[in-house]
Amino acid sequence: QVIESEELDDAALYPLANSEVRFFADAQSDLRTLAWPWANALYARSVHIALTVFHGDDLVPMVNRYFPGYQETILGSEGLIISKRLLAPWKGADDRAVLWAFECQAEADLVVRFDVRIDWGEVLAQRMVDGLLVAQRNPGTQQGIYRQANAESTRIFGNPHGQPDLVELDDGAGTAHLVYHVMVNGIADVVLLLTMSDVGEQVAWNAFLALRDAERAIEISETTWADLL
């Protein structure tokens, strides 16, 4: 289904799910209410990703496309088109994950700012590890050379190939603010991943590493949905 942005209901939410998690996508293809139904557990209240262009025109949402496994928002400005896709990966290494895939096409060199604001919906202990955000509920003592800790719940978020330029973490409020800058010269693909675990930090890391090849994860998901349909 394809809907022009000017015809969208800003309050409408599109449900997405895989074998492990379920969540909703709003009119801007931002995440709302990420849950694990089997345990009646909430992993994130919202994840909002705003895109702006340095020394360029404002990006304007043009159209939304709705598929069984993902939602896509197409944004554009003078000389720049960005596809913002929110995906529930399916039949991958670990389905307790959420994937954002951005395809940026520019006619000239442009810098795009990715402004990420996360509301976990609860108090969490947060820290940065190798450019990735690790958020945990009641973590234990960090151990080993990688300083990992078991916890009641672990979330890992970030870009597999780059680090944020700005990090603001508020453990008490359960929020995080990350900013990434990406140079677009021709075509640039940007991926953001969120993986989760309730059985230890290493499991969340393993899932994150296994999903680094976003193109493969998307291909597997689309093939699975196509087989069902």
Side-chain angles (χ1 to χ4, degrees), residues 98-174:
V98 180
L99 187 153
W100 291 261
F102 301 84
E103 182 180 275
C104 312
Q105 301 182 47
E107 296 178 356
D109 292 350
L110 292 172
V111 176
V112 180
R113 174 186 170 109
F114 290 71
D115 202 310
V116 182
R117 295 184 182 274
I118 303 173
D119 180 357
W120 297 117
E122 62 177 310
V123 175
L124 294 177
Q126 302 179 93
R127 70 186 195 277
M128 298 299 295
V129 180
D130 294 335
L132 301 176
L133 171 61
V134 179
Q136 295 181 300
R137 182 194 304 142
N138 296 328
T141 303
Q142 297 181 15
Q143 302 180 27
I145 60 173
Y146 297 109
R147 309 300 297 165
Q148 295 186 357
N150 286 331
E152 294 179 10
S153 178
T154 300
R155 300 126 166 108
I156 296 178
F157 176 89
N159 178 283
H161 310 293
Q163 301 186 11
D165 301 302
L166 172 68
V167 176
E168 296 176 340
L169 307 177
D170 189 332
D171 293 358

